[in-house]
Structures are given as structure tokens and as C-alpha cells.
PDB file of all heavy atoms in Angstrom:
ATOM      1  N   PRO A 220      23.567 -18.921  15.503  1.00  0.00           N
ATOM      2  CA  PRO A 220      23.713 -17.915  16.610  1.00  0.00           C
ATOM      3  C   PRO A 220      22.637 -16.805  16.542  1.00  0.00           C
ATOM      4  O   PRO A 220      22.199 -16.414  15.375  1.00  0.00           O
ATOM      5  CB  PRO A 220      25.052 -17.293  16.398  1.00  0.00           C
ATOM      6  CG  PRO A 220      25.750 -18.359  15.578  1.00  0.00           C
ATOM      7  CD  PRO A 220      24.766 -18.988  14.685  1.00  0.00           C
ATOM      8  N   ALA A 221      22.212 -16.259  17.673  1.00  0.00           N
ATOM      9  CA  ALA A 221      21.197 -15.267  17.757  1.00  0.00           C
ATOM     10  C   ALA A 221      21.648 -13.926  16.997  1.00  0.00           C
ATOM     11  O   ALA A 221      20.852 -13.389  16.295  1.00  0.00           O
ATOM     12  CB  ALA A 221      20.903 -14.860  19.176  1.00  0.00           C
ATOM     13  N   LEU A 222      22.909 -13.660  17.070  1.00  0.00           N
ATOM     14  CA  LEU A 222      23.458 -12.401  16.448  1.00  0.00           C
ATOM     15  C   LEU A 222      23.300 -12.566  14.897  1.00  0.00           C
ATOM     16  O   LEU A 222      22.853 -11.728  14.148  1.00  0.00           O
ATOM     17  CB  LEU A 222      24.846 -12.133  16.741  1.00  0.00           C
ATOM     18  CG  LEU A 222      25.483 -10.995  16.081  1.00  0.00           C
ATOM     19  CD1 LEU A 222      24.778  -9.579  16.308  1.00  0.00           C
ATOM     20  CD2 LEU A 222      27.024 -10.886  16.517  1.00  0.00           C
ATOM     21  N   GLU A 223      23.578 -13.796  14.401  1.00  0.00           N
ATOM     22  CA  GLU A 223      23.451 -13.959  12.944  1.00  0.00           C
ATOM     23  C   GLU A 223      22.042 -13.871  12.570  1.00  0.00           C
ATOM     24  O   GLU A 223      21.753 -13.407  11.510  1.00  0.00           O
ATOM     25  CB  GLU A 223      24.018 -15.460  12.614  1.00  0.00           C
ATOM     26  CG  GLU A 223      24.001 -15.816  11.151  1.00  0.00           C
ATOM     27  CD  GLU A 223      24.597 -17.180  10.944  1.00  0.00           C
ATOM     28  OE1 GLU A 223      25.059 -17.851  11.826  1.00  0.00           O
ATOM     29  OE2 GLU A 223      24.331 -17.686   9.721  1.00  0.00           O
ATOM     30  N   GLY A 224      21.133 -14.380  13.444  1.00  0.00           N
ATOM     31  CA  GLY A 224      19.655 -14.267  13.055  1.00  0.00           C
ATOM     32  C   GLY A 224      19.308 -12.812  12.939  1.00  0.00           C
ATOM     33  O   GLY A 224      18.550 -12.447  12.130  1.00  0.00           O
ATOM     34  N   ARG A 225      19.748 -11.939  13.891  1.00  0.00           N
ATOM     35  CA  ARG A 225      19.362 -10.586  13.831  1.00  0.00           C
ATOM     36  C   ARG A 225      19.821  -9.900  12.543  1.00  0.00           C
ATOM     37  O   ARG A 225      19.169  -8.885  12.129  1.00  0.00           O
ATOM     38  CB  ARG A 225      19.873  -9.918  15.153  1.00  0.00           C
ATOM     39  CG  ARG A 225      19.078 -10.241  16.391  1.00  0.00           C
ATOM     40  CD  ARG A 225      19.314  -9.309  17.500  1.00  0.00           C
ATOM     41  NE  ARG A 225      20.766  -9.614  18.011  1.00  0.00           N
ATOM     42  CZ  ARG A 225      21.065 -10.408  18.972  1.00  0.00           C
ATOM     43  NH1 ARG A 225      20.016 -11.187  19.511  1.00  0.00           N
ATOM     44  NH2 ARG A 225      22.237 -10.610  19.442  1.00  0.00           N
ATOM     45  N   GLN A 226      20.841 -10.408  12.026  1.00  0.00           N
ATOM     46  CA  GLN A 226      21.464  -9.878  10.696  1.00  0.00           C
ATOM     47  C   GLN A 226      20.647 -10.473   9.453  1.00  0.00           C
ATOM     48  O   GLN A 226      20.345  -9.897   8.557  1.00  0.00           O
ATOM     49  CB  GLN A 226      22.860 -10.064  10.545  1.00  0.00           C
ATOM     50  CG  GLN A 226      23.774  -9.425  11.658  1.00  0.00           C
ATOM     51  CD  GLN A 226      25.116  -9.757  11.749  1.00  0.00           C
ATOM     52  OE1 GLN A 226      25.502 -10.826  11.100  1.00  0.00           O
ATOM     53  NE2 GLN A 226      25.995  -8.893  12.253  1.00  0.00           N
ATOM     54  N   ARG A 227      20.372 -11.838   9.669  1.00  0.00           N
ATOM     55  CA  ARG A 227      19.828 -12.447   8.598  1.00  0.00           C
ATOM     56  C   ARG A 227      18.290 -12.280   8.366  1.00  0.00           C
ATOM     57  O   ARG A 227      17.763 -12.160   7.253  1.00  0.00           O
ATOM     58  CB  ARG A 227      20.077 -14.003   8.758  1.00  0.00           C
ATOM     59  CG  ARG A 227      19.408 -14.999   7.841  1.00  0.00           C
ATOM     60  CD  ARG A 227      20.192 -15.095   6.467  1.00  0.00           C
ATOM     61  NE  ARG A 227      19.622 -16.124   5.762  1.00  0.00           N
ATOM     62  CZ  ARG A 227      19.713 -16.073   4.392  1.00  0.00           C
ATOM     63  NH1 ARG A 227      20.331 -15.147   3.735  1.00  0.00           N
ATOM     64  NH2 ARG A 227      19.107 -17.144   3.676  1.00  0.00           N
ATOM     65  N   VAL A 228      17.518 -12.196   9.432  1.00  0.00           N
ATOM     66  CA  VAL A 228      16.120 -12.011   9.360  1.00  0.00           C
ATOM     67  C   VAL A 228      15.647 -10.896   8.524  1.00  0.00           C
ATOM     68  O   VAL A 228      14.752 -11.027   7.562  1.00  0.00           O
ATOM     69  CB  VAL A 228      15.513 -12.038  10.762  1.00  0.00           C
ATOM     70  CG1 VAL A 228      14.028 -11.504  10.635  1.00  0.00           C
ATOM     71  CG2 VAL A 228      15.494 -13.459  11.387  1.00  0.00           C
ATOM     72  N   PRO A 229      16.192  -9.673   8.729  1.00  0.00           N
ATOM     73  CA  PRO A 229      15.773  -8.546   7.902  1.00  0.00           C
ATOM     74  C   PRO A 229      16.143  -8.734   6.339  1.00  0.00           C
ATOM     75  O   PRO A 229      15.295  -8.307   5.476  1.00  0.00           O
ATOM     76  CB  PRO A 229      16.552  -7.339   8.465  1.00  0.00           C
ATOM     77  CG  PRO A 229      16.850  -7.687   9.730  1.00  0.00           C
ATOM     78  CD  PRO A 229      17.032  -9.234   9.796  1.00  0.00           C
ATOM     79  N   ALA A 230      17.123  -9.400   6.069  1.00  0.00           N
ATOM     80  CA  ALA A 230      17.528  -9.595   4.691  1.00  0.00           C
ATOM     81  C   ALA A 230      16.588 -10.571   4.007  1.00  0.00           C
ATOM     82  O   ALA A 230      16.148 -10.482   2.916  1.00  0.00           O
ATOM     83  CB  ALA A 230      19.001 -10.202   4.636  1.00  0.00           C
ATOM     84  N   VAL A 231      16.193 -11.660   4.774  1.00  0.00           N
ATOM     85  CA  VAL A 231      15.276 -12.613   4.217  1.00  0.00           C
ATOM     86  C   VAL A 231      13.922 -11.963   4.080  1.00  0.00           C
ATOM     87  O   VAL A 231      13.191 -12.282   3.122  1.00  0.00           O
ATOM     88  CB  VAL A 231      15.175 -13.920   5.201  1.00  0.00           C
ATOM     89  CG1 VAL A 231      14.051 -14.760   4.697  1.00  0.00           C
ATOM     90  CG2 VAL A 231      16.572 -14.655   5.092  1.00  0.00           C
ATOM     91  N   ALA A 232      13.513 -11.216   5.115  1.00  0.00           N
ATOM     92  CA  ALA A 232      12.244 -10.514   5.004  1.00  0.00           C
ATOM     93  C   ALA A 232      12.158  -9.684   3.791  1.00  0.00           C
ATOM     94  O   ALA A 232      11.050  -9.633   3.099  1.00  0.00           O
ATOM     95  CB  ALA A 232      11.975  -9.774   6.266  1.00  0.00           C
ATOM     96  N   GLU A 233      13.175  -8.882   3.543  1.00  0.00           N
ATOM     97  CA  GLU A 233      13.221  -8.048   2.270  1.00  0.00           C
ATOM     98  C   GLU A 233      13.030  -8.886   0.977  1.00  0.00           C
ATOM     99  O   GLU A 233      12.334  -8.515   0.113  1.00  0.00           O
ATOM    100  CB  GLU A 233      14.454  -7.261   2.274  1.00  0.00           C
ATOM    101  CG  GLU A 233      14.479  -6.261   1.141  1.00  0.00           C
ATOM    102  CD  GLU A 233      15.730  -5.325   1.119  1.00  0.00           C
ATOM    103  OE1 GLU A 233      16.489  -5.445   2.022  1.00  0.00           O
ATOM    104  OE2 GLU A 233      15.840  -4.561   0.129  1.00  0.00           O
ATOM    105  N   LYS A 234      13.843  -9.962   0.978  1.00  0.00           N
ATOM    106  CA  LYS A 234      13.780 -10.866  -0.239  1.00  0.00           C
ATOM    107  C   LYS A 234      12.418 -11.408  -0.465  1.00  0.00           C
ATOM    108  O   LYS A 234      11.948 -11.630  -1.581  1.00  0.00           O
ATOM    109  CB  LYS A 234      14.763 -12.053  -0.079  1.00  0.00           C
ATOM    110  CG  LYS A 234      14.825 -12.950  -1.222  1.00  0.00           C
ATOM    111  CD  LYS A 234      15.998 -13.984  -0.959  1.00  0.00           C
ATOM    112  CE  LYS A 234      16.151 -14.881  -2.177  1.00  0.00           C
ATOM    113  NZ  LYS A 234      17.311 -15.928  -1.977  1.00  0.00           N
ATOM    114  N   ILE A 235      11.657 -11.879   0.718  1.00  0.00           N
ATOM    115  CA  ILE A 235      10.419 -12.545   0.499  1.00  0.00           C
ATOM    116  C   ILE A 235       9.237 -11.642   0.471  1.00  0.00           C
ATOM    117  O   ILE A 235       8.120 -11.990   0.236  1.00  0.00           O
ATOM    118  CB  ILE A 235      10.246 -13.646   1.689  1.00  0.00           C
ATOM    119  CG1 ILE A 235      11.493 -14.618   1.642  1.00  0.00           C
ATOM    120  CG2 ILE A 235       8.998 -14.323   1.501  1.00  0.00           C
ATOM    121  CD1 ILE A 235      11.624 -15.341   0.357  1.00  0.00           C
ATOM    122  N   GLY A 236       9.516 -10.260   0.714  1.00  0.00           N
ATOM    123  CA  GLY A 236       8.474  -9.318   0.756  1.00  0.00           C
ATOM    124  C   GLY A 236       7.736  -9.205   2.047  1.00  0.00           C
ATOM    125  O   GLY A 236       6.431  -9.064   1.955  1.00  0.00           O
ATOM    126  N   LEU A 237       8.430  -9.254   3.062  1.00  0.00           N
ATOM    127  CA  LEU A 237       7.836  -9.261   4.472  1.00  0.00           C
ATOM    128  C   LEU A 237       8.217  -8.092   5.325  1.00  0.00           C
ATOM    129  O   LEU A 237       7.898  -8.033   6.509  1.00  0.00           O
ATOM    130  CB  LEU A 237       8.152 -10.557   5.256  1.00  0.00           C
ATOM    131  CG  LEU A 237       7.596 -11.802   4.717  1.00  0.00           C
ATOM    132  CD1 LEU A 237       8.145 -13.070   5.374  1.00  0.00           C
ATOM    133  CD2 LEU A 237       6.081 -11.882   4.825  1.00  0.00           C
ATOM    134  N   SER A 238       9.121  -7.193   4.780  1.00  0.00           N
ATOM    135  CA  SER A 238       9.622  -6.158   5.520  1.00  0.00           C
ATOM    136  C   SER A 238       8.664  -5.256   6.251  1.00  0.00           C
ATOM    137  O   SER A 238       8.763  -4.830   7.436  1.00  0.00           O
ATOM    138  CB  SER A 238      10.562  -5.224   4.741  1.00  0.00           C
ATOM    139  OG  SER A 238      11.574  -5.960   4.154  1.00  0.00           O
ATOM    140  N   GLN A 239       7.493  -5.139   5.622  1.00  0.00           N
ATOM    141  CA  GLN A 239       6.411  -4.171   6.134  1.00  0.00           C
ATOM    142  C   GLN A 239       5.603  -4.771   7.191  1.00  0.00           C
ATOM    143  O   GLN A 239       4.804  -4.216   7.889  1.00  0.00           O
ATOM    144  CB  GLN A 239       5.489  -3.697   4.940  1.00  0.00           C
ATOM    145  CG  GLN A 239       4.526  -4.778   4.412  1.00  0.00           C
ATOM    146  CD  GLN A 239       5.184  -5.522   3.224  1.00  0.00           C
ATOM    147  OE1 GLN A 239       6.377  -5.735   3.233  1.00  0.00           O
ATOM    148  NE2 GLN A 239       4.438  -5.840   2.169  1.00  0.00           N
ATOM    149  N   VAL A 240       5.790  -6.181   7.400  1.00  0.00           N
ATOM    150  CA  VAL A 240       4.993  -6.971   8.388  1.00  0.00           C
ATOM    151  C   VAL A 240       5.770  -7.479   9.494  1.00  0.00           C
ATOM    152  O   VAL A 240       5.311  -8.326  10.275  1.00  0.00           O
ATOM    153  CB  VAL A 240       4.027  -7.897   7.763  1.00  0.00           C
ATOM    154  CG1 VAL A 240       2.979  -7.251   6.731  1.00  0.00           C
ATOM    155  CG2 VAL A 240       4.788  -9.023   7.115  1.00  0.00           C
ATOM    156  N   LEU A 241       7.119  -7.184   9.625  1.00  0.00           N
ATOM    157  CA  LEU A 241       7.936  -7.798  10.568  1.00  0.00           C
ATOM    158  C   LEU A 241       7.469  -7.643  11.978  1.00  0.00           C
ATOM    159  O   LEU A 241       7.641  -8.544  12.866  1.00  0.00           O
ATOM    160  CB  LEU A 241       9.403  -7.238  10.473  1.00  0.00           C
ATOM    161  CG  LEU A 241      10.303  -7.930   9.341  1.00  0.00           C
ATOM    162  CD1 LEU A 241      11.634  -7.191   9.322  1.00  0.00           C
ATOM    163  CD2 LEU A 241      10.405  -9.413   9.702  1.00  0.00           C
ATOM    164  N   GLN A 242       6.728  -6.521  12.264  1.00  0.00           N
ATOM    165  CA  GLN A 242       6.319  -6.305  13.640  1.00  0.00           C
ATOM    166  C   GLN A 242       4.881  -6.680  13.867  1.00  0.00           C
ATOM    167  O   GLN A 242       4.341  -6.464  14.912  1.00  0.00           O
ATOM    168  CB  GLN A 242       6.493  -4.883  14.024  1.00  0.00           C
ATOM    169  CG  GLN A 242       7.922  -4.306  13.902  1.00  0.00           C
ATOM    170  CD  GLN A 242       8.940  -5.137  14.746  1.00  0.00           C
ATOM    171  OE1 GLN A 242       8.520  -5.413  15.965  1.00  0.00           O
ATOM    172  NE2 GLN A 242       9.998  -5.419  14.233  1.00  0.00           N
ATOM    173  N   GLU A 243       4.327  -7.230  12.819  1.00  0.00           N
ATOM    174  CA  GLU A 243       2.790  -7.699  12.940  1.00  0.00           C
ATOM    175  C   GLU A 243       2.796  -9.086  13.571  1.00  0.00           C
ATOM    176  O   GLU A 243       3.596  -9.986  13.334  1.00  0.00           O
ATOM    177  CB  GLU A 243       2.205  -7.763  11.587  1.00  0.00           C
ATOM    178  CG  GLU A 243       2.263  -6.336  10.885  1.00  0.00           C
ATOM    179  CD  GLU A 243       1.339  -5.316  11.577  1.00  0.00           C
ATOM    180  OE1 GLU A 243       0.307  -5.714  12.110  1.00  0.00           O
ATOM    181  OE2 GLU A 243       1.722  -4.068  11.708  1.00  0.00           O
ATOM    182  N   PRO A 244       1.723  -9.258  14.376  1.00  0.00           N
ATOM    183  CA  PRO A 244       1.461 -10.683  14.865  1.00  0.00           C
ATOM    184  C   PRO A 244       0.996 -11.579  13.833  1.00  0.00           C
ATOM    185  O   PRO A 244       0.360 -11.195  12.753  1.00  0.00           O
ATOM    186  CB  PRO A 244       0.383 -10.446  15.976  1.00  0.00           C
ATOM    187  CG  PRO A 244      -0.323  -9.230  15.608  1.00  0.00           C
ATOM    188  CD  PRO A 244       0.764  -8.378  14.927  1.00  0.00           C
ATOM    189  N   LEU A 245       1.399 -12.781  13.819  1.00  0.00           N
ATOM    190  CA  LEU A 245       1.090 -13.797  12.770  1.00  0.00           C
ATOM    191  C   LEU A 245      -0.351 -13.983  12.636  1.00  0.00           C
ATOM    192  O   LEU A 245      -0.810 -14.228  11.454  1.00  0.00           O
ATOM    193  CB  LEU A 245       1.808 -15.150  13.052  1.00  0.00           C
ATOM    194  CG  LEU A 245       3.400 -15.101  12.876  1.00  0.00           C
ATOM    195  CD1 LEU A 245       3.995 -16.404  13.510  1.00  0.00           C
ATOM    196  CD2 LEU A 245       3.609 -15.128  11.300  1.00  0.00           C
ATOM    197  N   PHE A 246      -1.104 -13.954  13.754  1.00  0.00           N
ATOM    198  CA  PHE A 246      -2.611 -14.162  13.619  1.00  0.00           C
ATOM    199  C   PHE A 246      -3.291 -13.127  12.756  1.00  0.00           C
ATOM    200  O   PHE A 246      -4.411 -13.290  12.111  1.00  0.00           O
ATOM    201  CB  PHE A 246      -3.268 -14.340  14.912  1.00  0.00           C
ATOM    202  CG  PHE A 246      -3.355 -12.925  15.634  1.00  0.00           C
ATOM    203  CD1 PHE A 246      -4.415 -12.066  15.364  1.00  0.00           C
ATOM    204  CD2 PHE A 246      -2.406 -12.652  16.712  1.00  0.00           C
ATOM    205  CE1 PHE A 246      -4.428 -10.728  16.074  1.00  0.00           C
ATOM    206  CE2 PHE A 246      -2.501 -11.512  17.423  1.00  0.00           C
ATOM    207  CZ  PHE A 246      -3.454 -10.488  17.010  1.00  0.00           C
ATOM    208  N   SER A 247      -2.719 -11.908  12.560  1.00  0.00           N
ATOM    209  CA  SER A 247      -3.261 -10.839  11.872  1.00  0.00           C
ATOM    210  C   SER A 247      -2.913 -10.896  10.316  1.00  0.00           C
ATOM    211  O   SER A 247      -3.564 -10.055   9.597  1.00  0.00           O
ATOM    212  CB  SER A 247      -2.730  -9.547  12.395  1.00  0.00           C
ATOM    213  OG  SER A 247      -1.355  -9.327  12.005  1.00  0.00           O
ATOM    214  N   LEU A 248      -2.120 -11.837   9.891  1.00  0.00           N
ATOM    215  CA  LEU A 248      -1.775 -11.862   8.526  1.00  0.00           C
ATOM    216  C   LEU A 248      -2.722 -12.602   7.437  1.00  0.00           C
ATOM    217  O   LEU A 248      -3.449 -13.480   7.879  1.00  0.00           O
ATOM    218  CB  LEU A 248      -0.340 -12.528   8.275  1.00  0.00           C
ATOM    219  CG  LEU A 248       0.843 -11.990   9.081  1.00  0.00           C
ATOM    220  CD1 LEU A 248       2.145 -12.808   8.706  1.00  0.00           C
ATOM    221  CD2 LEU A 248       1.038 -10.557   8.744  1.00  0.00           C
ATOM    222  N   SER A 249      -2.846 -12.138   6.293  1.00  0.00           N
ATOM    223  CA  SER A 249      -3.539 -12.794   5.347  1.00  0.00           C
ATOM    224  C   SER A 249      -2.949 -14.091   4.932  1.00  0.00           C
ATOM    225  O   SER A 249      -1.819 -14.413   5.276  1.00  0.00           O
ATOM    226  CB  SER A 249      -3.664 -11.959   3.961  1.00  0.00           C
ATOM    227  OG  SER A 249      -2.377 -11.897   3.409  1.00  0.00           O
ATOM    228  N   HIS A 250      -3.740 -14.957   4.222  1.00  0.00           N
ATOM    229  CA  HIS A 250      -3.158 -16.292   3.917  1.00  0.00           C
ATOM    230  C   HIS A 250      -1.939 -16.153   2.927  1.00  0.00           C
ATOM    231  O   HIS A 250      -1.032 -16.952   3.151  1.00  0.00           O
ATOM    232  CB  HIS A 250      -4.244 -17.093   3.070  1.00  0.00           C
ATOM    233  CG  HIS A 250      -3.862 -18.516   2.803  1.00  0.00           C
ATOM    234  ND1 HIS A 250      -3.618 -19.458   3.598  1.00  0.00           N
ATOM    235  CD2 HIS A 250      -3.544 -19.003   1.490  1.00  0.00           C
ATOM    236  CE1 HIS A 250      -3.291 -20.506   3.067  1.00  0.00           C
ATOM    237  NE2 HIS A 250      -3.217 -20.397   1.817  1.00  0.00           N
ATOM    238  N   GLY A 251      -1.888 -15.149   2.134  1.00  0.00           N
ATOM    239  CA  GLY A 251      -0.804 -14.989   1.243  1.00  0.00           C
ATOM    240  C   GLY A 251       0.568 -14.769   2.002  1.00  0.00           C
ATOM    241  O   GLY A 251       1.580 -15.259   1.769  1.00  0.00           O
ATOM    242  N   PHE A 252       0.340 -13.802   2.999  1.00  0.00           N
ATOM    243  CA  PHE A 252       1.540 -13.452   3.811  1.00  0.00           C
ATOM    244  C   PHE A 252       1.914 -14.647   4.737  1.00  0.00           C
ATOM    245  O   PHE A 252       3.128 -14.788   5.063  1.00  0.00           O
ATOM    246  CB  PHE A 252       1.194 -12.187   4.663  1.00  0.00           C
ATOM    247  CG  PHE A 252       1.586 -10.825   4.004  1.00  0.00           C
ATOM    248  CD1 PHE A 252       0.589 -10.043   3.622  1.00  0.00           C
ATOM    249  CD2 PHE A 252       2.853 -10.636   3.627  1.00  0.00           C
ATOM    250  CE1 PHE A 252       0.844  -8.760   3.006  1.00  0.00           C
ATOM    251  CE2 PHE A 252       3.156  -9.407   3.032  1.00  0.00           C
ATOM    252  CZ  PHE A 252       2.131  -8.437   2.674  1.00  0.00           C
ATOM    253  N   ARG A 253       0.996 -15.398   5.119  1.00  0.00           N
ATOM    254  CA  ARG A 253       1.368 -16.503   6.006  1.00  0.00           C
ATOM    255  C   ARG A 253       2.159 -17.502   5.138  1.00  0.00           C
ATOM    256  O   ARG A 253       3.121 -18.135   5.623  1.00  0.00           O
ATOM    257  CB  ARG A 253       0.175 -17.210   6.482  1.00  0.00           C
ATOM    258  CG  ARG A 253      -0.515 -16.427   7.647  1.00  0.00           C
ATOM    259  CD  ARG A 253      -1.912 -16.971   8.056  1.00  0.00           C
ATOM    260  NE  ARG A 253      -1.774 -18.285   8.712  1.00  0.00           N
ATOM    261  CZ  ARG A 253      -1.611 -18.213  10.089  1.00  0.00           C
ATOM    262  NH1 ARG A 253      -1.522 -17.141  10.807  1.00  0.00           N
ATOM    263  NH2 ARG A 253      -1.417 -19.330  10.728  1.00  0.00           N
ATOM    264  N   GLN A 254       1.824 -17.716   3.925  1.00  0.00           N
ATOM    265  CA  GLN A 254       2.559 -18.556   3.066  1.00  0.00           C
ATOM    266  C   GLN A 254       3.989 -18.007   2.871  1.00  0.00           C
ATOM    267  O   GLN A 254       5.034 -18.735   2.847  1.00  0.00           O
ATOM    268  CB  GLN A 254       1.902 -18.844   1.720  1.00  0.00           C
ATOM    269  CG  GLN A 254       0.660 -19.617   1.662  1.00  0.00           C
ATOM    270  CD  GLN A 254       0.907 -21.164   2.097  1.00  0.00           C
ATOM    271  OE1 GLN A 254       0.836 -21.526   3.100  1.00  0.00           O
ATOM    272  NE2 GLN A 254       1.356 -21.880   1.078  1.00  0.00           N
TER     273      GLN A 254
END
């Protein structure tokens, strides 16, 4: 469900170290962040 995703995505981003780039377009990311 979309609601579950809106709760889950920030938690996963924090775990993987992506919180600071959640609003960044994917094309702008370094190779490490893309992985």
C-alpha cells in the first residue's frame, strides 16, 4: 500500500544512509549513492 510506503521509505533511507538525498534526482547521485 502507498501509505505503508510513505512510512517505510524514510526508515529504509535512514538505515541505508540515504536520508540526505531523498529529494535529489537519481541522475545527480554518485556511483556509491546509486548502489
Side-chain angles (χ1 to χ4, degrees):
L222 178 60
E223 183 181 349
R225 286 192 287 271
Q226 296 171 342
R227 174 81 176 150
V228 166
V231 170
E233 183 176 357
K234 180 176 182 179
I235 303 298
L237 294 171
S238 297
Q239 70 271 37
V240 296
L241 274 177
Q242 301 305 316
E243 299 296 324
L245 286 164
F246 71 79
S247 70
L248 299 184
S249 67
H250 182 66
F252 271 115
R253 292 173 70 87
Q254 288 293 95

